[in-house]
Amino acid sequence: AALSTYDGFDDPENPVPVVQIGERLHVSELYHGPTRAFKDTALQPFGVVLSGLAQARDEHYLIMAATSGDTGPAALDTFRNKPNIKVACLYPDGGTSDVQRLQMVTEDAANLKVIGIHGNFDDAQAALKGLLGSERFCTTLVEKHTQLSAANSVNFGRIIFQLIYHLHSYLELVRQGHIELGEKVYLVVPSGNFGNALGGYYAWRMGLPVEKIVIASNANNVLTDLIHTGVYDLRQRKLIGTSSPAMDILKSSNVERVLFHLFGAERTRELMRELDEEQHYQLSGDELQAMQSLFCADFCSDDEGKAYIKEYFEQGYLMDPHTATCMKAHASCCDQPLHAIVYSTAEWTKFSPTIANALTGERDAHDIDALKTIARLANTEIPARIGELFSKPITQTTLVDKEDIEKEVLAFI
Ligand SMILES: *Cc1c(COP(=O)(O)O)cnc(C)c1O
């Protein structure tokens, strides 16, 4: 049977619409999946393939995820009621938006477990790593013939699916008559762990005509510095909470994969060791040049991002705060008269308080108020699958201290 990999999207025949918002400016909307953020573009097909393989080979998997908001809902959705698969998802209580939390705690499938923890995202991630290193935990998995997998973009299975939409978006510009096949374009990517950008890099290696991959960041601008100066430096940095929280990352894990392709295994190991031990590394002049021949970067403050949201809204396009970080990088990097594809990674419904604030200057107390504000201003409806979250019963009520996570997960499996 054909794999129905994009069935959960608004239009399974065209899961990623590409729309024009400026003369040579296009938005590739990656958020039309079930959880309204770009994680679905990879995790929906990944779920179909992994559960298909697990059944064919009679294997059982436990998927672990620690989430700051978007990966958790996407991982839960894709594996809901899938045979041979269980998901345990850790989130920081109070560390996600209302919509993100409700997407997780209203999940009622028996193969899904959502665990809120007292602590922040780093605590959730550290707890996950602790679990993976626990002998009792690993022994239990072996006894239960269960293999472990992860739902974040360290998992290469996700990256493979993330190069498809780069190819698709380019071909869409050709089909829409904006460019000739072979004409170069800019790819403008709002980046955190660099999985989206890495997909663009592989698409380029496969022959996609790309002028530059433009890396957009928020105030956590470690990637901007790397691409401008060749220095990756964590020594003076503290993670800053921004209104594009999915990009609040300092150790961007997929950068290592680009270094590997550009500079080889030995040099990459050396650079990664320096980052681990000394919290910084520096590329040579030649290496920096190689990096800059394909990548360009800029970062955007929260206030600049909100100004872009307002500006584009007044021109008729509603974008989320992650997408908005791209507009500044687009302005500073795209200096050739070529078309640019900006990747939009979340629907307005997922980060509504920031957007409502950008549009009105006021602050709504809760997501539901902000959603209503935006729906009114944009003369649209709150999409049913977001609106209904607020009246769904809460089925996942586990909330524990870090020390009790292992017990909860073991009881679950
Ligand atoms: C995950 C995410 C990003 C960052 O993508 P990376 O592949 O980690 O660089 C950006 N925006 C949103 C809304 C996300 O969920």
Side-chain angles (χ1 to χ4, degrees), residues 3 6 15 26 32 44 64 69 99 107 109 143 146 148-149 157 167 169 171 241 243 246 280 283 303 309 346 401:
L3 292 176
Y6 297 105
H26 309 265
H32 290 273
Q44 285 288 311
M64 294 286 311
V99 167
E107 280 286 2
E143 281 167 7
T146 294
L148 199 60
S149 187
L167 306 175
S169 302
L171 291 171
S243 45
H280 72 113
L283 301 179
D303 283 343
I309 290 172
D401 289 326

Side-chain angles (χ1 to χ4, degrees), residues 47-56 58-61 78-86 111:
V48 173
V49 171
L50 187 69
S51 64
L53 281 175
Q55 281 173 269
D58 197 23
E59 291 171 347
H60 290 260
Y61 282 88
T78 195
F79 292 115
R80 180 188 300 129
N81 294 324
K82 290 271 195 331
N84 297 28
I85 310 257
K86 286 186 169 143
N111 69 325

